[in-house]
Amino acid sequence: MHSSMALSDDADDLSQARFRFAPPDNEAPAAVGVSGVIGRSADTAILLGGLARYTNGLHIDLAIRRRLDPEQPDHLHAMFNAGLLVGVELADGRAVVGGYHDWNSLPAADEPVLTHRGGGGGGREWSSTLWLTPAPPPGDLVIVVACPALGVDESRFTVDAAALRAAADTAEVLWPREPDQVHRHIEPPPVDVPPGGWFERAFAALPTDGPTG
């Protein structure tokens, strides 16, 4: 079941959304201490740059490296993360694919979510960061990637349970998190339209109560 995540003025709703789709801003994470090649083709490698453990999730750093400069036009230049599939398999058997969730609703508290947080690059180097929440259950965690457009078959990287457990013990809460400040919508002031001109006639034809900016 999903509960509504409509853009409301409720501070509790905003806080819950923040916790599910972004790392907490009142914590110092602990490095899990793993990295390496997840998958590769003859000319491309997908790397795990590192993991950072927060009390309620994992921050995942990925990178794409290419042996040659891409041909033009190349769709990886036109679309962020084009063709790169990322997923996580948890120790309890549940699986989640990065970016495939409903942004119009808030997942249940125990439902795993893997959110793209950003990235970029170009040419031979690309980077991508993801946020997995809630914190994974005890046991190994498997990161799965594939990029058919670059010839990288489905590949897996296992993160050892002991490394995850050690990082969980050292993630530090800096201070209790203060409630989010609610910013209510403010109506913009009316546009100063010169009388008797083209803009006055154009705004008058709009299906509104008047020019609002």
Side-chain angles (χ1 to χ4, degrees), residues 51-213:
L51 295 174
R53 179 67 154 82
Y54 291 79
T55 59
N56 67 333
L58 280 176
H59 195 259
I60 303 171
D61 290 318
L62 300 180
I64 296 176
R65 297 291 183 265
R66 304 177 69 168
R67 184 171 68 88
L68 303 171
D69 291 328
E71 297 290 336
Q72 295 290 344
D74 187 315
H75 70 279
L76 281 176
H77 282 83
M79 184 182 300
F80 172 66
N81 278 342
L84 176 62
L85 298 174
V86 185
V88 170
E89 184 178 308
L90 305 177
D92 59 10
R94 290 180 298 167
V96 58
V97 178
Y100 287 87
H101 50 70
D102 183 1
W103 283 98
N104 293 317
S105 59
L106 189 65
D110 61 348
E111 181 180 349
V113 174
L114 185 61
T115 305
H116 285 288
R117 292 283 297 152
R124 303 182 190 187
E125 299 184 49
W126 288 77
S127 65
S128 179
T129 60
L130 299 100
W131 170 242
L132 172 69
T133 186
D140 293 347
L141 180 141
V142 180
I143 300 173
V144 186
V145 301
C147 191
L150 297 179
V152 180
D153 295 331
E154 185 175 292
S155 307
R156 301 160 64 89
F157 186 102
T158 300
V159 182
D160 184 71
L164 290 169
R165 185 171 58 251
D169 293 338
T170 54
E172 180 182 355
V173 177
L174 300 173
W175 43 70
R177 193 174 192 282
E178 299 295 333
D180 288 296
Q181 183 176 354
V182 175
H183 297 281
R184 301 186 183 279
H185 178 69
I186 299 176
E187 288 292 336
V191 177
D192 186 11
V193 180
W198 182 90
F199 280 106
E200 185 179 55
R201 295 191 300 274
F203 275 118
L206 294 177
T208 65
D209 294 334
T212 58

